[in-house]
Amino acid sequence: MHDDLAGRRVLVTGSSQGIGLAVACAFAAAGARVGLNARSAPGGLDALLDGLGGGAAFFPGDLSRTADCERVVEDCAARFGGLDILVNNAGALVGRVPLEEIDDAFYDAVGSVNCRSALMCTRSALPHLKRSAAETGQMASVILVGSIAGSTGGGPGAGLYGAAKAWLQNIQKNWVAFHTADGIRFNTVSPGTVDTAFHADKDAAARAAVSAGIPMGRFGRPEEIAPAFLFLASNAAAGYVTGQVIEVNGGQFMP
Ligand code: NAP
Protein backbone atom coordinates (compact mmCIF):
# COMPACT_ATOMS: atom_id res chain seq x y z
CA MET A 1 0.00 0.00 0.00
CA HIS A 2 2.91 2.34 0.70
CA ASP A 3 5.19 1.04 -2.06
CA ASP A 4 5.86 4.60 -3.20
CA LEU A 5 7.82 5.27 0.00
CA ALA A 6 10.69 3.08 -1.18
CA GLY A 7 13.74 5.24 -1.75
CA ARG A 8 12.11 8.37 -0.32
CA ARG A 9 14.42 10.48 1.83
CA VAL A 10 12.99 11.09 5.30
CA LEU A 11 14.13 13.02 8.36
CA VAL A 12 12.39 12.06 11.62
CA THR A 13 13.27 14.45 14.43
CA GLY A 14 13.38 13.25 18.04
CA SER A 15 13.79 9.65 16.98
CA SER A 16 16.18 7.99 19.42
CA GLN A 17 13.26 6.33 21.23
CA GLY A 18 9.49 6.29 21.59
CA ILE A 19 7.16 7.35 18.79
CA GLY A 20 9.94 8.87 16.69
CA LEU A 21 11.99 5.68 16.68
CA ALA A 22 8.93 3.60 15.78
CA VAL A 23 8.20 6.01 12.92
CA ALA A 24 11.79 5.83 11.68
CA CYS A 25 11.68 2.01 11.78
CA ALA A 26 8.36 1.96 9.92
CA PHE A 27 9.69 4.22 7.15
CA ALA A 28 12.82 2.08 6.87
CA ALA A 29 10.70 -1.08 6.63
CA ALA A 30 8.84 0.60 3.76
CA GLY A 31 12.18 1.06 1.97
CA ALA A 32 12.75 4.72 2.77
CA ARG A 33 16.13 6.23 3.54
CA VAL A 34 15.91 7.53 7.08
CA GLY A 35 17.67 10.25 9.00
CA LEU A 36 17.31 10.10 12.77
CA ASN A 37 17.86 12.88 15.29
CA ALA A 38 17.94 13.52 19.03
CA ARG A 39 20.18 15.41 21.40
CA SER A 40 21.92 12.17 22.41
CA ALA A 41 22.54 9.09 20.30
CA PRO A 42 20.61 6.01 21.42
CA GLY A 43 22.53 3.00 22.72
CA GLY A 44 23.60 0.53 20.04
CA LEU A 45 23.48 3.23 17.37
CA ASP A 46 25.60 1.40 14.79
CA ALA A 47 23.48 -1.76 14.98
CA LEU A 48 20.30 0.32 14.83
CA LEU A 49 21.44 2.16 11.70
CA ASP A 50 22.61 -1.09 10.06
CA GLY A 51 19.20 -2.62 10.75
CA LEU A 52 17.41 0.34 9.20
CA GLY A 53 19.40 0.01 5.96
CA GLY A 54 19.32 2.53 3.13
CA GLY A 55 22.31 4.40 4.51
CA ALA A 56 20.33 5.45 7.59
CA ALA A 57 22.19 8.07 9.59
CA PHE A 58 21.94 9.89 12.90
CA PHE A 59 22.15 13.67 13.10
CA PRO A 60 22.61 14.89 16.67
CA GLY A 61 21.17 18.26 17.57
CA ASP A 62 19.09 20.15 20.10
CA LEU A 63 16.18 21.31 17.97
CA SER A 64 15.16 23.86 20.59
CA ARG A 65 17.87 25.89 18.89
CA THR A 66 17.41 27.34 15.42
CA ALA A 67 21.06 26.78 14.46
CA ASP A 68 20.74 23.07 15.26
CA CYS A 69 17.52 22.80 13.23
CA GLU A 70 19.31 24.30 10.24
CA ARG A 71 22.37 22.08 10.64
CA VAL A 72 20.44 18.83 11.13
CA VAL A 73 18.24 19.45 8.08
CA GLU A 74 21.20 20.49 5.90
CA ASP A 75 23.33 17.53 7.00
CA CYS A 76 20.49 15.09 6.34
CA ALA A 77 19.73 16.57 2.91
CA ALA A 78 23.44 16.50 2.03
CA ARG A 79 23.73 12.88 3.12
CA PHE A 80 20.79 11.71 0.99
CA GLY A 81 21.14 14.19 -1.88
CA GLY A 82 17.85 15.84 -0.97
CA LEU A 83 14.84 15.49 1.29
CA ASP A 84 11.30 14.34 0.43
CA ILE A 85 9.61 13.96 3.83
CA LEU A 86 10.08 15.80 7.13
CA VAL A 87 8.55 14.41 10.32
CA ASN A 88 8.60 17.03 13.06
CA ASN A 89 8.35 14.66 16.01
CA ALA A 90 10.75 16.24 18.55
CA GLY A 91 8.68 17.54 21.44
CA ALA A 92 8.34 17.31 25.18
CA LEU A 93 6.11 18.16 28.11
CA VAL A 94 9.20 19.68 29.82
CA GLY A 95 7.38 19.67 33.16
CA ARG A 96 4.05 20.12 34.88
CA VAL A 97 3.87 23.73 36.01
CA PRO A 98 0.64 25.40 37.14
CA LEU A 99 -0.25 28.83 35.78
CA GLU A 100 0.73 30.58 39.02
CA GLU A 101 4.30 29.30 38.67
CA ILE A 102 4.98 29.68 34.95
CA ASP A 103 8.03 31.86 34.33
CA ASP A 104 9.86 33.03 31.23
CA ALA A 105 12.31 30.14 31.30
CA PHE A 106 9.53 27.54 31.31
CA TYR A 107 7.61 29.38 28.60
CA ASP A 108 10.74 29.50 26.45
CA ALA A 109 11.56 25.84 27.05
CA VAL A 110 8.10 24.53 26.12
CA GLY A 111 7.79 26.84 23.15
CA SER A 112 11.26 26.06 21.85
CA VAL A 113 11.15 22.27 21.97
CA ASN A 114 7.61 21.98 20.63
CA CYS A 115 7.11 24.99 18.33
CA ARG A 116 10.47 26.48 17.39
CA SER A 117 11.79 23.00 16.52
CA ALA A 118 9.01 22.27 14.03
CA LEU A 119 8.96 25.82 12.65
CA MET A 120 12.69 26.07 12.04
CA CYS A 121 13.10 22.52 10.75
CA THR A 122 10.25 23.15 8.31
CA ARG A 123 11.72 26.50 7.27
CA SER A 124 15.10 24.88 6.71
CA ALA A 125 13.58 21.96 4.81
CA LEU A 126 11.43 24.12 2.53
CA PRO A 127 13.93 24.56 -0.34
CA HIS A 128 14.76 20.85 -0.29
CA LEU A 129 11.09 19.83 -0.28
CA LYS A 130 10.33 22.22 -3.15
CA ARG A 131 13.22 20.77 -5.12
CA SER A 132 12.02 17.25 -4.36
CA ALA A 133 8.57 17.99 -5.75
CA ALA A 134 9.98 19.68 -8.85
CA GLU A 135 12.49 16.92 -9.57
CA THR A 136 10.44 13.83 -8.69
CA GLY A 137 6.99 15.01 -9.76
CA GLN A 138 5.66 13.70 -6.41
CA MET A 139 4.42 15.93 -3.63
CA ALA A 140 6.76 16.28 -0.68
CA SER A 141 5.38 15.93 2.81
CA VAL A 142 5.69 17.61 6.20
CA ILE A 143 4.13 15.77 9.13
CA LEU A 144 3.72 17.43 12.50
CA VAL A 145 3.07 15.67 15.79
CA GLY A 146 0.18 17.11 17.74
CA SER A 147 -1.51 15.70 20.81
CA ILE A 148 -4.96 15.29 22.24
CA ALA A 149 -3.73 18.01 24.63
CA GLY A 150 -3.80 20.36 21.64
CA SER A 151 -7.56 19.96 21.54
CA THR A 152 -8.44 19.34 25.20
CA GLY A 153 -6.06 21.92 26.73
CA GLY A 154 -3.92 19.33 28.51
CA GLY A 155 -3.89 17.92 32.03
CA PRO A 156 -2.68 19.50 35.28
CA GLY A 157 0.28 21.80 34.68
CA ALA A 158 0.31 20.97 30.97
CA GLY A 159 -1.48 24.03 29.63
CA LEU A 160 1.54 25.43 27.81
CA TYR A 161 2.27 22.04 26.26
CA GLY A 162 -1.32 21.75 25.06
CA ALA A 163 -1.20 25.29 23.69
CA ALA A 164 2.07 24.53 21.88
CA LYS A 165 0.48 21.51 20.20
CA ALA A 166 -2.58 23.61 19.25
CA TRP A 167 -0.17 26.17 17.76
CA LEU A 168 1.27 23.46 15.52
CA GLN A 169 -2.16 22.25 14.47
CA ASN A 170 -3.04 25.83 13.56
CA ILE A 171 0.11 26.95 11.77
CA GLN A 172 -0.11 24.05 9.35
CA LYS A 173 -3.29 25.68 7.98
CA ASN A 174 -1.20 28.67 6.94
CA TRP A 175 1.44 26.44 5.39
CA VAL A 176 -1.22 24.58 3.41
CA ALA A 177 -2.66 27.87 2.16
CA PHE A 178 0.68 29.26 1.02
CA HIS A 179 2.91 26.27 0.23
CA THR A 180 0.71 23.68 -1.45
CA ALA A 181 1.73 25.33 -4.70
CA ASP A 182 5.32 24.39 -3.83
CA GLY A 183 4.31 20.74 -4.07
CA ILE A 184 4.17 20.03 -0.35
CA ARG A 185 1.42 18.42 1.76
CA PHE A 186 1.20 19.26 5.47
CA ASN A 187 -0.58 17.04 8.00
CA THR A 188 -0.54 16.25 11.70
CA VAL A 189 -0.64 12.98 13.59
CA SER A 190 -2.23 13.59 16.99
CA PRO A 191 -1.51 10.75 19.44
CA GLY A 192 -3.43 10.00 22.60
CA THR A 193 -1.61 8.47 25.56
CA VAL A 194 1.26 6.40 24.20
CA ASP A 195 3.51 4.18 26.28
CA THR A 196 6.86 5.96 26.08
CA ALA A 197 9.33 7.68 28.39
CA PHE A 198 6.98 10.66 28.15
CA HIS A 199 4.93 8.95 30.91
CA ALA A 200 7.87 7.79 33.02
CA ASP A 201 6.57 9.89 35.93
CA LYS A 202 3.36 7.83 36.24
CA ASP A 203 3.13 5.01 38.77
CA ALA A 204 0.84 2.00 38.35
CA ALA A 205 -2.12 3.78 39.96
CA ALA A 206 -1.75 6.81 37.69
CA ARG A 207 -1.48 4.59 34.62
CA ALA A 208 -4.61 2.69 35.65
CA ALA A 209 -6.50 5.95 36.15
CA VAL A 210 -5.52 7.20 32.70
CA SER A 211 -6.33 3.84 31.10
CA ALA A 212 -9.78 3.91 32.66
CA GLY A 213 -10.51 7.04 30.61
CA ILE A 214 -9.57 5.40 27.32
CA PRO A 215 -12.32 3.35 25.64
CA MET A 216 -9.69 0.80 24.58
CA GLY A 217 -8.65 0.60 28.23
CA ARG A 218 -4.92 0.90 27.69
CA PHE A 219 -2.08 3.13 26.53
CA GLY A 220 -1.20 3.02 22.84
CA ARG A 221 2.10 1.55 21.68
CA PRO A 222 4.50 3.57 19.49
CA GLU A 223 4.18 0.91 16.78
CA GLU A 224 0.44 1.59 16.67
CA ILE A 225 1.00 5.29 15.96
CA ALA A 226 3.64 4.87 13.24
CA PRO A 227 1.39 3.59 10.40
CA ALA A 228 -0.53 6.89 10.35
CA PHE A 229 2.74 8.60 9.38
CA LEU A 230 3.28 6.20 6.49
CA PHE A 231 -0.26 6.80 5.29
CA LEU A 232 0.17 10.58 5.34
CA ALA A 233 3.60 10.47 3.67
CA SER A 234 2.49 8.16 0.88
CA ASN A 235 1.15 9.94 -2.20
CA ALA A 236 -0.41 6.67 -3.31
CA ALA A 237 -2.44 6.49 -0.09
CA ALA A 238 -2.92 10.15 0.83
CA GLY A 239 -2.06 12.19 -2.25
CA TYR A 240 -5.19 14.33 -1.83
CA VAL A 241 -4.89 14.67 1.97
CA THR A 242 -3.46 17.90 3.32
CA GLY A 243 -4.14 20.22 6.24
CA GLN A 244 -5.60 17.41 8.32
CA VAL A 245 -5.14 16.15 11.87
CA ILE A 246 -5.36 12.37 12.28
CA GLU A 247 -6.24 11.33 15.83
CA VAL A 248 -4.72 8.01 16.95
CA ASN A 249 -5.89 7.57 20.51
CA GLY A 250 -7.94 4.44 21.22
CA GLY A 251 -11.06 6.59 21.47
CA GLN A 252 -9.63 8.78 24.26
CA PHE A 253 -10.65 11.93 22.40
CA MET A 254 -13.24 12.27 19.65
CA PRO A 255 -13.37 15.68 17.93
P1 NAP B 1 9.97 10.36 24.20
O1 NAP B 1 9.89 8.87 24.31
O2 NAP B 1 10.33 11.16 25.39
O3 NAP B 1 10.96 10.69 22.98
C1 NAP B 1 11.26 12.00 22.66
C2 NAP B 1 12.34 12.01 21.61
O4 NAP B 1 12.63 13.36 21.26
C3 NAP B 1 13.65 11.40 22.09
O5 NAP B 1 14.31 10.79 21.01
C4 NAP B 1 14.42 12.63 22.56
O6 NAP B 1 15.82 12.35 22.60
C5 NAP B 1 14.01 13.64 21.51
N1 NAP B 1 14.13 15.03 21.92
C6 NAP B 1 13.67 15.61 23.06
N2 NAP B 1 14.01 16.89 23.09
C7 NAP B 1 14.69 17.14 21.94
C8 NAP B 1 15.34 18.28 21.40
N3 NAP B 1 15.36 19.45 22.07
N4 NAP B 1 15.96 18.19 20.20
C9 NAP B 1 15.96 17.01 19.52
N5 NAP B 1 15.38 15.89 20.00
C10 NAP B 1 14.76 15.96 21.19
O7 NAP B 1 8.59 10.97 23.72
P2 NAP B 1 7.40 10.40 22.81
O8 NAP B 1 6.29 10.02 23.69
O9 NAP B 1 7.92 9.43 21.83
O10 NAP B 1 6.96 11.76 22.09
C11 NAP B 1 7.24 12.02 20.73
C12 NAP B 1 6.31 13.11 20.26
O11 NAP B 1 4.95 12.69 20.45
C13 NAP B 1 6.44 14.43 21.02
O12 NAP B 1 6.26 15.51 20.11
C14 NAP B 1 5.29 14.38 22.01
O13 NAP B 1 4.88 15.66 22.40
C15 NAP B 1 4.24 13.67 21.18
N6 NAP B 1 3.17 13.04 21.92
C16 NAP B 1 3.43 12.03 22.79
C17 NAP B 1 2.37 11.44 23.46
C18 NAP B 1 2.57 10.31 24.43
O14 NAP B 1 1.61 9.95 25.14
N7 NAP B 1 3.73 9.69 24.50
C19 NAP B 1 1.06 11.89 23.27
C20 NAP B 1 0.84 12.93 22.36
C21 NAP B 1 1.91 13.49 21.69
P3 NAP B 1 16.85 13.26 23.48
O15 NAP B 1 16.25 13.37 24.84
O16 NAP B 1 18.16 12.53 23.44
O17 NAP B 1 16.96 14.57 22.78
Side-chain angles (χ1 to χ4, degrees):
M1 183 177 181
H2 305 122
D3 290 351
D4 63 324
L5 293 177
R8 298 285 268 172
R9 301 157 296 187
V10 187
L11 171 61
V12 183
T13 69
S15 48
S16 61
Q17 61 181 29
I19 295 169
L21 179 57
V23 170
C25 291
F27 272 109
R33 307 176 66 191
V34 183
L36 293 89
N37 151 266
R39 289 167 299 181
S40 308
L45 178 63
D46 290 344
L48 171 65
L49 296 179
D50 281 351
L52 293 178
F58 179 76
F59 304 96
D62 179 351
L63 302 185
S64 294
R65 302 174 185 161
T66 298
D68 284 26
C69 295
E70 293 169 344
R71 179 177 48 75
V72 165
V73 169
E74 290 306 324
D75 287 355
C76 184
R79 169 79 176 220
F80 295 145
L83 190 67
D84 307 303
I85 298 160
L86 170 67
V87 177
N88 286 306
N89 172 74
L93 184 62
V94 182
R96 291 191 181 274
V97 179
L99 175 57
E100 297 86 340
E101 295 168 23
I102 289 174
D103 59 15
D104 286 344
F106 184 68
Y107 177 87
D108 288 345
V110 176
S112 292
V113 73
N114 291 294
C115 299
R116 188 195 308 276
S117 62
L119 173 66
M120 295 307 182
C121 285
T122 303
R123 187 190 74 177
S124 302
L126 202 56
H128 299 292
L129 299 174
K130 282 185 189 179
R131 195 172 311 120
S132 158
E135 290 178 357
T136 69
Q138 293 190 59
M139 290 193 86
S141 197
V142 172
I143 304 176
L144 301 163
V145 178
S147 168
I148 54 170
S151 296
T152 65
L160 267 183
Y161 172 76
K165 292 299 191 180
W167 187 95
L168 292 175
Q169 293 171 198
N170 188 284
I171 201 168
Q172 83 166 1
K173 297 179 183 179
N174 179 276
W175 297 349
V176 169
F178 296 102
H179 293 285
T180 301
D182 292 328
I184 306 169
R185 295 184 295 107
F186 300 89
N187 291 286
T188 295
V189 174
S190 176
T193 304
V194 184
D195 202 356
T196 69
F198 194 94
H199 299 288
D201 62 334
K202 291 186 175 62
D203 61 16
R207 290 175 63 93
V210 172
S211 297
I214 303 173
M216 285 202 183
R218 62 172 177 83
F219 286 25
R221 297 187 295 275
E223 295 73 23
E224 294 176 300
I225 313 302
F229 290 82
L230 300 191
F231 167 74
L232 289 171
S234 163
N235 285 310
Y240 197 53
V241 180
T242 193
Q244 305 305 308
V245 178
I246 295 191
E247 307 282 346
V248 188
N249 60 35
Q252 189 176 11
F253 167 73
M254 294 176 271

